[in-house]
């Protein structure tokens, strides 16, 4: 698979739907990792601009929780605990640095890939009662989950762009 100069996998220009969805999701996952590359612990804890407390470290933690929610809880109907109970996924803990957060996130991504590989795009997972009320159905297809995950990463990668620029002036990607 070809890559961008910074090493991210380029989604194929022509492929079946499944390959496209998985490729774009992996591209956005790689973009989040790239936004954190080369930074130290204090830099990944720097918020973009007041009053926002959003940080790159918080984004990595949040996306680990998002991966866990959609692929384990929803798609696979697993009863798994939250990764970050105290203060939510964006909250920072003095003892938890980027290396640990990236390892947790990467483990969740690996688990997501494994669970998705066992399903067709039309297979469905079960939504929580709250989410079912919002969506108007109590189930959601893997296709929907892939599209939502691409949207979620793309939105947060925009945040990561701004935070990274604030941290050390790096732009792009």
């Amino acid at each position: 698979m070809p890559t961008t100069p910074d090493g991210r996998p380029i989604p194929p220009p022509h492929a079946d739907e499944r390959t496209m969805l998985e490729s774009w999701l992996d591209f956005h996952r790689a973009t989040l990792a790239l936004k954190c590359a080369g930074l130290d612990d204090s830099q990944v804890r720097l918020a973009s601009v007041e009053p926002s407390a959003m940080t790159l470290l918080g984004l990595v933690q949040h996306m680990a929780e998002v991966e866990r929610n959609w692929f384990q809880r929803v798609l696979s109907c697993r009863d798994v605990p939250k990764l970050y109970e105290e203060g939510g996924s964006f909250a920072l803990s003095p003892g938890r640095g980027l290396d640990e957060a990236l390892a947790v996130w990467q483990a969740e991504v690996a688990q997501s890939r494994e669970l998705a590989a066992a399903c067709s795009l039309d297979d469905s997972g079960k939504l929580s009662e709250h989410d079912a009320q919002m969506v108007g159905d109590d189930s959601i297809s893997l296709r929907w989950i892939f599209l939502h995950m691409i949207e979620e990463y793309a939105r947060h990668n925009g945040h990561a762009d701004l935070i990274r620029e604030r941290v050390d002036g790096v732009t792009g990607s």
Side-chain angles (χ1 to χ4, degrees), residues 30-45:
T31 299
L32 180 59
L34 179 66
K35 288 296 171 186
C36 298
L39 298 177
D40 64 31
D41 194 58
S42 65
Q43 290 173 308
V44 295
R45 293 172 180 277

Side-chain angles (χ1 to χ4, degrees), residues 35-61:
K35 288 296 171 186
C36 298
L39 298 177
D40 64 31
D41 194 58
S42 65
Q43 290 173 308
V44 295
R45 293 172 180 277
L46 184 63
S48 60
V49 63
E50 292 182 4
S52 175
M54 188 178 293
T55 65
L56 289 169
L57 179 55
L59 282 173
V60 171
Q61 292 175 171

Side-chain angles (χ1 to χ4, degrees), residues 8-170:
R8 292 174 296 153
I10 298 173
H14 304 280
D16 62 273
E17 179 184 19
R18 175 77 178 240
T19 301
M20 284 289 190
L21 292 170
E22 289 176 341
S23 297
W24 276 107
L25 181 53
D26 283 341
F27 176 83
H28 283 291
R29 287 167 170 156
T31 299
L32 180 59
L34 179 66
K35 288 296 171 186
C36 298
L39 298 177
D40 64 31
D41 194 58
S42 65
Q43 290 173 308
V44 295
R45 293 172 180 277
L46 184 63
S48 60
V49 63
E50 292 182 4
S52 175
M54 188 178 293
T55 65
L56 289 169
L57 179 55
L59 282 173
V60 171
Q61 292 175 171
H62 175 69
M63 292 312 299
E65 188 63 59
V66 169
E67 293 272 356
R68 175 172 276 216
N69 182 62
W70 287 106
F71 290 98
Q72 290 195 56
R73 291 188 192 106
V74 175
L75 181 64
S76 300
C77 299
R78 292 183 176 175
D79 183 20
V80 293
K82 290 188 176 211
L83 292 167
Y84 305 103
E85 290 286 344
E86 190 174 315
S89 59
F90 284 105
L92 305 183
S93 168
R96 186 175 46 247
L98 182 61
D99 289 344
E100 179 183 341
L102 284 171
V104 169
W105 172 63
Q106 290 165 346
E108 290 300 322
V109 167
Q111 183 67 47
S112 296
R113 286 185 180 125
E114 182 180 320
L115 295 170
C119 298
S120 77
L121 291 177
D122 294 321
D123 285 347
S124 293
K126 183 133 176 73
L127 291 170
S128 69
E129 188 175 316
H130 176 263
D131 289 343
Q133 287 177 345
M134 288 175 34
V135 172
D137 198 321
D138 67 350
S139 68
I140 207 92
S141 70
L142 175 58
R143 177 181 288 103
W144 191 100
I145 292 170
F146 274 139
L147 288 167
H148 174 67
M149 291 297 294
I150 292 165
E151 174 272 330
E152 182 89 7
Y153 272 100
R155 181 166 44 102
H156 287 312
N157 282 338
H159 297 133
D161 281 337
L162 295 172
I163 297 169
R164 181 66 191 248
E165 185 175 7
R166 160 87 191 218
V167 169
D168 65 358
V170 170

